Amino acid sequence: MTRSRLTSCAASAALAAALTLGAASPLLAAEATPMADNPVVEARLVAISEELRCLVCQNESLAASRAELADDLRREVRKLINDGKSDAEIRDYLVARYGDFVLYRPPVKPTTWLLWFGPFVILAGAIFGLVAYLRRRSTRLAPATLSDEQKAAAQALLGTPHAPPKDNA
Amino acid sequence: MKRFLIPLGLFLVLVVFLAIGLNRDPHEVPSPLVGKPAPDFKLGVLAAPDKSFTPADMRGQVWLLNVWASWCVSCRAEHPLLVAFAKQGGLPIVGLNYKEVRGDGGIDAKKLSADDELALTRQRAGAWLSQHGNPYTLSVLDMDGRVGIDYGVYGVPETYLIDKKGVIRFKQIGPITPEALEKKILPLARQLATES
């Protein structure tokens, strides 16, 4: 079911396309969100919000999204920075409202163990399987030593690499 | 034959995972607020300009908090169901009118004064309710979406089922469907009504 705000993803994509095509358009430039006065706050805002997921356009970070909710949330984060909150406190603020989903780096806890350690478990299993297979294979294969006759025959074949092919005609 | 069983087993596991993945809606992000006390707020009431509402006013009742806006298209799909449900007197429904003016892309809210925005919010929300029916005990005005953020709103509509103690027990993301109402919301509400 499409919800009302989801359409703004498409709108923001269209706007992004329009911006790329006509970067100098004064009409669009006027709509850009004004930067806050303090560049330090802005830098922290970008650093924090790049690690957070926009809930509306889920493949975009909070820093990059042009969705309206992202605007609101950036405003909240800016306010929290100005209130002197630490990065961790700001992340907790958003997680308390929107869940771990907003974090691009999910926390390590029992429900995410499979996510964090699953790949290593699969890797360990694969290595174990490979080693077991190679061991079995090497014991099953006959020792590859040639008899003197075979060696001589091989030598004869290898020793005359430029011999003309047999004439079959 | 036996050597094919392991890849086949792995393949079936993959199919099961993919099937589960395909049937889940990535836009439905489970709310961490379920099981937590409903965030407090104090907002103006739509129909009574001099009154305000806070969730504590509903203490002792099982109620629904429904997030809506006149610009929200999906709300129109859900609204007849809410109106019918309210007529049966199922549960009190409080409307959270979310960013009525600012949420509408067609209006440049930055050019409006606070008073003008409030007046426009009341006018638009009131007109929409008289046109589509008013299922709400009352509606409150969240003009800047601050309360919405506290409730983890990331789209409209959303609906919260809140128990007698003021704890959120269920969140419906997107329009309430008849199935969601019959199978999830009503049974849970009946159970919550028996709790003290």
Side-chain angles (χ1 to χ4, degrees):
Chain A
M1 188 60 82
T2 328
R3 299 203 296 152
S4 283
R5 202 86 64 56
L6 303 181
T7 51
S8 58
C9 290
S12 77
L15 190 53
L19 280 171
T20 342
L21 291 174
S25 165
L27 194 108
L28 288 168
E31 288 185 8
T33 321
M35 291 275 276
D37 305 329
N38 189 340
V40 181
V41 171
E42 276 324 281
R44 263 189 77 197
L45 170 68
V46 170
I48 295 170
S49 55
E50 268 178 347
E51 289 279 309
L52 297 170
R53 186 199 301 273
C54 171
L55 283 119
V56 183
C57 309
Q58 298 185 341
N59 289 333
E60 279 188 303
S61 76
L62 198 54
S65 179
R66 296 185 63 91
E68 213 187 299
L69 180 68
D71 257 345
D72 288 0
L73 290 177
R74 280 193 296 265
R75 190 188 62 204
E76 275 321 295
V77 171
R78 198 177 278 134
K79 188 171 150 281
L80 292 170
I81 293 171
N82 285 323
D83 289 352
K85 296 275 193 284
S86 73
D87 290 8
E89 279 171 322
I90 293 170
R91 271 194 294 275
D92 289 347
Y93 170 92
L94 286 158
V95 168
R97 284 157 181 76
Y98 296 101
D100 287 338
F101 187 78
V102 294
L103 302 174
Y104 272 123
R105 290 175 212 270
V108 181
K109 58 184 193 181
T111 50
T112 58
W113 281 354
L114 190 64
L115 178 72
W116 278 101
F117 306 120
F120 298 106
V121 171
I122 292 174
L123 181 68
I127 289 173
F128 178 80
L130 182 69
V131 168
Y133 171 75
L134 288 177
R135 280 210 180 139
R136 218 171 23 169
R137 186 166 166 268
S138 65
T139 51
R140 221 192 294 152
L141 285 178
T145 46
L146 300 174
S147 67
D148 288 343
E149 259 173 61
Q150 286 170 319
K151 268 186 194 160
Q155 214 76 58
L157 284 169
L158 293 170
T160 53
H162 300 297
K166 264 187 191 161
D167 194 357
N168 285 332
Chain B
M1 258 335 265
K2 212 173 139 200
R3 58 193 295 228
F4 293 115
L5 284 179
I6 294 172
L8 184 68
L10 289 174
F11 176 71
L12 287 177
V13 169
L14 187 69
V15 166
V16 168
F17 271 90
L18 291 177
I20 294 171
L22 276 176
N23 286 302
R24 290 177 68 178
D25 182 354
H27 284 292
E28 282 198 13
V29 182
S31 174
L33 286 161
V34 173
K36 303 245 167 71
D40 196 24
F41 62 81
K42 193 175 182 198
L43 288 175
V45 175
L46 170 62
D50 53 339
K51 286 209 176 114
S52 61
F53 168 87
T54 148
D57 298 347
M58 300 301 281
R59 224 20 87 79
Q61 295 188 69
V62 180
W63 57 294
L64 290 173
L65 181 72
N66 175 249
V67 184
W68 69 281
S70 74
W71 45 259
C72 157
V73 181
S74 308
C75 297
R76 279 175 215 183
E78 139 185 291
H79 208 68
L81 188 69
L82 286 180
V83 172
F85 182 62
K87 268 198 191 129
Q88 294 164 14
L91 290 171
I93 311 172
V94 173
L96 180 76
N97 177 269
Y98 179 74
K99 295 177 73 173
E100 177 62 44
V101 172
R102 295 187 200 186
D104 189 327
I107 302 174
D108 192 355
K110 282 177 199 121
K111 286 183 186 148
L112 291 172
S113 72
D115 285 346
D116 286 350
E117 189 187 352
L118 181 60
L120 189 60
T121 299
R122 286 189 192 287
Q123 183 242 312
R124 284 169 50 112
W128 195 80
L129 286 183
S130 36
Q131 190 191 337
H132 293 90
N134 186 355
Y136 304 115
T137 314
L138 55 90
S139 274
V140 293
L141 306 175
D142 182 20
M143 292 196 294
D144 57 6
R146 277 277 317 126
V147 171
I149 289 176
D150 282 344
Y151 275 79
V153 172
Y154 63 96
V156 191
E158 284 181 5
T159 307
Y160 300 81
L161 177 63
I162 299 168
D163 72 10
K164 291 180 181 176
K165 290 182 186 136
V167 175
I168 296 176
R169 302 301 287 262
F170 178 77
K171 178 182 180 185
Q172 171 75 26
I173 295 164
I176 298 178
T177 56
E179 295 81 55
L181 190 64
E182 290 297 326
K183 291 192 182 136
K184 287 182 188 157
I185 298 173
L186 279 178
L188 185 54
R190 275 189 214 110
Q191 183 208 320
L192 294 177
T194 61
E195 290 177 5
S196 57

